[in-house]
Amino acid sequence: MANDKTSAHGKPATPSEQKTLELNEEAIRKAGTIDLDEGAVTPGYGPYREAIVKLLNQALATELVCVLRYRRHYFTAEGLASPAIAAEFLEHANEELAHADKIAERIVQLGGSPNFNPATLLEHSHADYDECTDLKGMLRANLVAERIAVESYRQMVELIGDKDPTTRRLLEGVLAEEEEHADEISDWLQR
């Protein structure tokens, strides 16, 4: 096994083979002192910031549509199993709202403007609103929406990669919760 001082063959590494983990102090100082009105956003964010804000606004719209769908289902669920399922809908609605808040906060941190415009939510959302009246239809609509969210977040995480580690970690956390939601709804559908 090679280290910083030896090559893969156990021989002394040439200077070009030696790897160092050193920060670029000049770039750090420069990033800290230019464009102070940008807040936490340093030049290292590069040309992707606007595209990331656009992705986050789509995620925000999706979360808000999901909040509305879950809350409608919470209030309109009827049937023998409805109290337990309705409680699950309310819990998911609250968690989706927490996701929306985190996403909106990140948009602002990146210097963007979170889009809460009700007139455009469905246009920007990946998931649909639903007006089912039966429990099974509600569960199915919510499972479809959760699976759409899972795939959307998975793709966003992949696209963002190392371009914005803070946003990537945020989205990975939301993705894990969306997967949990999908599992819970799937369990209800199989009962």
Side-chain angles (χ1 to χ4, degrees), residues 13 26 41 50 52-53 63 106 147 155 163-164 173 179:
E26 183 181 335
V41 180
E50 286 183 30
I52 290 171
V53 167
E63 293 295 342
R106 184 63 184 152
R147 289 172 52 92
Q155 287 186 27
K163 295 170 190 71
D164 180 351
E179 288 173 344

Side-chain angles (χ1 to χ4, degrees), residues 134-148:
D134 65 287
L135 281 177
K136 199 152 197 105
M138 291 176 184
L139 287 166
R140 188 176 189 301
N142 286 314
L143 180 56
V144 167
E146 292 294 353
R147 289 172 52 92
I148 287 170

Side-chain angles (χ1 to χ4, degrees), residues 66 83 123 127 189:
C66 288
E123 177 185 327
L189 272 171

Side-chain angles (χ1 to χ4, degrees), residues 8-126:
H9 304 293
K11 298 179 184 175
T14 64
S16 65
E17 291 175 321
Q18 290 182 6
K19 296 179 183 173
T20 60
L21 296 175
E22 294 179 19
L23 298 176
N24 181 335
E25 294 292 332
E26 183 181 335
I28 291 170
R29 297 268 177 228
K30 185 177 178 182
T33 58
I34 63 170
D35 296 326
L36 292 178
D37 59 328
E38 294 289 330
V41 180
T42 63
Y45 280 84
Y48 302 104
R49 183 171 60 163
E50 286 183 30
I52 290 171
V53 167
K54 181 178 178 184
L55 289 172
L56 289 174
N57 264 315
Q58 292 170 347
L60 176 61
T62 302
E63 293 295 342
L64 293 171
V65 167
C66 288
V67 168
L68 296 172
R69 186 187 59 257
Y70 272 125
R71 290 190 87 72
R72 182 186 186 286
H73 290 171
Y74 166 72
F75 285 108
T76 61
E78 293 180 345
L80 214 47
S82 67
I85 293 175
E88 189 78 17
F89 290 159
L90 182 59
E91 182 179 327
H92 286 201
N94 292 335
E95 290 170 352
E96 303 293 359
L97 184 56
H99 297 164
D101 289 346
K102 289 176 188 176
I103 291 166
E105 181 179 29
R106 184 63 184 152
I107 291 168
V108 171
Q109 288 172 345
L110 290 172
S113 179
N115 185 352
F116 285 94
N117 184 342
T120 61
L121 284 181
L122 280 174
E123 177 185 327
H124 295 236
S125 173
H126 298 118

